[in-house]
Amino acid sequence: KEILPPPEQPEGVTGVVFSPDGSQVLAVGMDNRLKFYNVADGMEVKKMPAAPDRLFGIALSKDGKQVATAGYG
């Protein structure tokens, strides 16, 4: 069952993680950005500045206060 349309990232999504409370999805992709989406409506709520590398991995701390991304350039 699809509960959220796939995040729109032109060059592809390479990593996703849900927030601890399940209200948001964080996604990284080949566009070098970390984006936050509301699960309820699929809308993008925040976009971080572009990283110097293409992002392919993401991790979130248990409390949701810290996020780590991995990339390559």
Side-chain angles (χ1 to χ4, degrees), residues 2 4-9 13 37 42:
E2 182 179 28
L4 178 70
E8 291 186 25
Q9 295 201 6
V13 174
Y37 297 88

Side-chain angles (χ1 to χ4, degrees), residues 5 14 16 21 29 33 40 47-48 51 54 57-58:
T14 55
V16 296
D21 65 4
R33 294 189 181 275
K47 179 173 22 180
M48 302 300 288
R54 292 178 181 255
I58 184 170

Side-chain angles (χ1 to χ4, degrees), residues 7-56:
E8 291 186 25
Q9 295 201 6
E11 296 185 37
V13 174
T14 55
V16 296
V17 66
F18 279 91
S19 63
D21 65 4
S23 68
Q24 292 187 337
V25 170
L26 288 69
V28 294
M30 300 301 281
D31 67 352
N32 304 22
R33 294 189 181 275
L34 167 61
K35 297 179 182 178
F36 297 70
Y37 297 88
N38 277 333
V39 170
D41 60 13
M43 298 297 296
E44 182 181 303
V45 294
K46 187 175 186 178
K47 179 173 22 180
M48 302 300 288
D53 301 321
R54 292 178 181 255
L55 300 175
F56 64 87

